[in-house]
């Protein structure tokens, strides 16, 4: 049940300890495991994969509780959706193994999964109807608008705190803003800020209840539909001229400039078989899992390209175009598409392959900005298509740098 278009602002917020059906002891802040369990309760999801057809049939009956218009719904305040949850890496050493990487830091891909879970629960808190045992809405992630890092290192032996609330709603879309901090030296230190956009569907998670505004905004400026600007065209032409062999006086002879790498040689690919273990509460592949796999491939790509360890700076404009079904073959392709100084912009494209029809369908495009320990080579496009990837990467990088100024 979605509230009117604009939320009432609140000067001060009070954090909720999951009052929408208590899942933890009184006064105890829930951890991420309890966040997942609460989501299952809200939609009636089963932990047994074999029960999913029965669960879908039961959820179909919830359609009668959907509001016919937004005017029927009560106004909500921002603090109504305020949630705090903990990841007790410091106080529960047994939990660290799942989050620890080989560099004695926290796997950022796991953090992406937790943010996705929390964002969905925040939106369910906003739409919760206390008269119903289960929500008639299916809320899923549509877009990761921005994730900005405030600290480069996430320590594997210090507790993490997540807080978040709804910051904007449309008719069928909800924006959730989240903040992550980590306990160090007796106080919490800022780690990252994240903005996710969720959409509401019918109880069976089949029919979209989404407006197209954000998708239109992203596609309007897309280089797949709109020509580059005059400045960008000049940049591409100069890149081309820099690769010509002046001794041959021919457009055919191409040489690689010093301290450069052809874009064709800055790729990395991967394949995932989507098993039921990675399903979400609606029996599709969990969006957080897709983000984790894309991030890990993109990070490996940046590491192999630069020859040193990368640190994530930002994640932006992850648009979930199509759901990924269980049993799908997920093809991931990572490309270093722009570099500047010690920074690398990586684009990861994901698509599902139907082995019977050999059809490929794009599901997501991910954009990651990494910082390296040294200056990195320039990437140089050879084809027009690669030049568009280069410009798109530069746009994302420039946007990230503006946000960090």
């Amino acid at each position: 049940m979605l509230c009117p278009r604009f939320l009432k602002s609140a000067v001060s917020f009070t954090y909720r300890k999951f009052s929408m059906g208590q899942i933890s002891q009184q006064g105890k802040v829930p951890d991420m495991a309890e966040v997942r369990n609460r989501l299952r309760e809200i939609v009636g999801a089963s932990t047994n994969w074999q029960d999913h057809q029965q669960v879908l049939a039961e959820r179909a009956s919830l359609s009668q509780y959907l509001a016919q218009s937004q005017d029927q719904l009560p106004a909500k305040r921002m603090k109504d959706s305020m949630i705090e949850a903990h990841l007790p890496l410091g106080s529960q050493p047994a939990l660290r193994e799942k989050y620890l990487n080989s560099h004695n830091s926290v796997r950022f891909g796991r953090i992406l999964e937790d943010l996705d879970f929390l964002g969905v629960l925040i939106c369910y808190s906003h739409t919760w109807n206390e008269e119903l045992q289960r929500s008639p809405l299916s809320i899923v992630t549509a877009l990761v608008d921005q994730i900005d890092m405030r600290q480069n290192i996430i320590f594997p032996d210090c507790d993490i705190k997540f807080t978040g609330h709804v910051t904007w709603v449309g008719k069928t879309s909800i924006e959730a803003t989240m903040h992550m901090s980590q306990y160090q030296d007796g106080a919490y230190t800022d780690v990252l800020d994240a903005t996710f956009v969720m959409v509401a569907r019918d109880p069976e998670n089949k029919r979209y209840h989404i407006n197209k505004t954000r998708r239109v905004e992203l596609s309007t400026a897309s280089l797949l539909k709109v020509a580059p600007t005059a400045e960008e065209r000049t940049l591409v032409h100069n890149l081309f001229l820099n690769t010509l062999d002046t001794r041959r006086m021919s457009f055919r002879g191409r040489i690689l400039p010093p301290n450069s790498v052809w874009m064709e040689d800055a790729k990395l690919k991967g394949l995932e078989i989507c098993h039921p273990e990675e399903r979400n509460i609606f029996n599709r592949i969990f969006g957080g899992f897709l983000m984790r796999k894309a991030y890990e491939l993109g990070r490996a790509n940046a590491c192999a390209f630069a020859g040193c360890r990368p640190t994530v700076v930002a994640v932006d404009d992850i648009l979930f175009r199509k759901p990924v079904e269980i049993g799908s073959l997920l093809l991931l392709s990572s490309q270093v598409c722009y570099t500047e100084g010690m920074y690398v912009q990586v684009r990861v494209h994901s698509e599902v392959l139907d082995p019977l029809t050999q059809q490929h369908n794009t599901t997501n495009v991910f954009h990651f900005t990494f910082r390296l320990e040294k200056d990195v080579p320039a990437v140089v496009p050879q084809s027009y298509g690669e030049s568009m990837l280069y410009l798109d990467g530069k746009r994302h990088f420039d946007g990230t740098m503006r946000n960090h100024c």
Side-chain angles (χ1 to χ4, degrees):
M1 304 287 181
L2 298 174
C3 82
R5 185 176 181 83
F6 296 105
L7 291 167
K8 298 178 181 177
S9 61
V11 176
S12 60
F13 300 124
T14 56
Y15 293 115
R16 300 184 56 171
K17 304 299 190 291
F18 293 95
S19 60
M20 40 176 281
Q22 293 296 326
I23 64 170
S24 59
Q25 299 175 359
Q26 187 68 26
K28 175 181 176 292
V29 177
D31 59 28
M32 292 309 300
E34 293 173 309
V35 168
R36 293 174 175 84
N37 290 336
R38 179 56 186 149
L39 282 173
R40 293 190 185 97
E41 293 175 6
I42 288 171
V43 301
S46 172
T47 56
N48 187 348
W49 160 246
Q50 296 178 340
D51 295 338
H52 74 281
Q53 293 292 349
Q54 178 182 345
V55 171
L56 288 176
E58 292 174 353
R59 283 194 58 77
S61 63
L62 296 175
S63 296
Q64 60 183 308
Y65 300 113
L66 288 173
Q68 298 302 310
S69 72
Q70 205 171 44
D71 296 334
Q72 300 176 2
L73 303 173
K76 295 289 186 72
R77 300 166 297 179
M78 284 186 178
K79 70 177 184 179
D80 293 333
S81 62
M82 202 65 144
I83 285 180
E84 175 181 324
H86 283 189
L87 182 60
L89 298 180
S91 53
Q92 294 185 16
L95 185 62
R96 296 176 196 164
E97 191 81 7
K98 179 180 178 182
Y99 286 82
L100 187 66
N101 65 21
S102 60
H103 302 292
N104 197 36
S105 182
V106 169
R107 296 171 62 184
F108 187 69
R110 292 293 189 193
I111 299 299
L112 291 176
E113 290 183 327
D114 289 341
L115 287 171
D116 197 36
F117 274 120
L118 184 64
V120 173
L121 185 58
I122 287 170
C123 294
Y124 271 119
S125 298
H126 176 76
T127 63
W128 183 247
N129 183 344
E130 295 183 356
E131 297 179 358
L132 300 178
Q133 184 178 0
R134 294 177 182 173
S135 174
L137 295 174
S138 296
I139 298 177
V140 295
T141 306
L143 172 73
V144 179
D145 193 28
Q146 188 77 28
I147 300 177
D148 288 319
M149 302 301 297
R150 306 302 179 193
Q151 178 174 295
N152 292 334
I153 300 175
I154 306 176
F155 298 97
D157 55 353
C158 298
D159 285 357
I160 288 174
K161 177 172 69 175
F162 296 95
T163 58
H165 60 91
V166 169
T167 48
W168 177 89
V169 295
K171 288 186 177 180
T172 56
S173 55
I174 314 176
E175 179 186 86
T177 298
M178 292 165 282
H179 178 75
M180 174 179 148
S181 56
Q182 190 163 39
Y183 193 77
Q184 292 177 264
D185 301 324
Y188 278 96
T189 303
D190 295 343
V191 176
L192 64 81
D193 298 310
T195 303
F196 283 45
V197 178
M198 310 293 178
V199 295
R201 301 179 180 178
D202 67 9
E204 298 177 89
N205 192 28
K206 292 181 178 179
R207 181 164 49 91
Y208 282 89
H209 281 237
I210 178 175
N211 61 27
K212 305 292 184 180
T213 304
R214 181 57 173 158
R215 293 173 186 262
V216 171
E217 289 176 356
L218 289 174
S219 63
T220 299
S222 172
L223 289 166
L224 292 172
K225 296 185 177 181
V226 181
T229 65
E231 181 180 355
E232 290 173 333
R233 291 195 296 271
T234 299
L235 174 60
V236 168
H237 188 64
N238 288 336
L239 286 170
F240 171 72
L241 293 178
N242 287 338
T243 64
L244 293 181
D245 187 347
T246 55
R247 295 171 300 177
R248 297 181 60 183
M249 298 297 292
S250 170
F251 287 123
R252 292 186 179 182
R254 305 287 297 276
I255 58 173
L256 186 64
N259 194 32
S260 300
V261 176
W262 294 120
M263 286 185 69
E264 177 64 29
D265 298 325
K267 294 180 178 181
L268 205 59
K269 295 188 177 183
L271 168 67
E272 295 290 334
I273 301 175
C274 298
H275 297 292
E277 178 186 5
E278 309 300 343
R279 71 188 185 277
N280 62 16
I281 52 179
F282 302 112
N283 292 296
R284 299 266 178 69
I285 294 302
F286 169 46
F289 169 78
L290 301 176
M291 286 192 286
R292 173 165 66 88
K293 287 301 180 180
Y295 167 78
E296 291 173 348
L297 182 65
R299 185 182 185 278
N301 193 183
C303 183
F305 174 81
C308 57
R309 186 170 64 183
T311 300
V312 64
V313 175
V315 182
D316 72 311
D317 282 352
I318 300 176
L319 184 61
F320 289 81
R321 302 172 187 273
K322 291 180 179 292
V324 178
E325 302 292 343
I326 293 171
S328 299
L329 296 180
L330 182 69
L331 306 178
L332 296 167
S333 178
S334 177
Q335 170 75 68
V336 174
C337 51
Y338 182 76
T339 65
E340 185 172 313
M342 302 172 69
Y343 292 92
V344 171
Q345 188 69 36
V346 177
R347 178 184 189 269
V348 180
H349 176 269
S350 73
E351 61 183 7
V352 290
L353 166 65
D354 186 329
L356 299 180
T357 64
Q358 295 297 302
Q359 287 188 336
H360 293 248
N361 289 302
T362 297
T363 59
N364 305 85
V365 177
F366 305 84
H367 301 277
F368 304 104
T369 306
F370 294 99
R371 188 179 190 275
L372 284 302
E373 299 168 348
K374 61 181 181 181
D375 285 350
V376 297
V379 285
V380 181
Q382 288 182 282
S383 67
Y384 186 80
E386 287 182 343
S387 296
M388 296 303 100
L389 288 177
Y390 181 92
L391 293 178
D392 186 59
K394 186 178 187 305
R395 288 181 178 184
H396 282 279
F397 175 77
D398 290 345
T400 294
M401 291 300 103
R402 284 194 297 270
N403 291 335
H404 282 75
C405 289

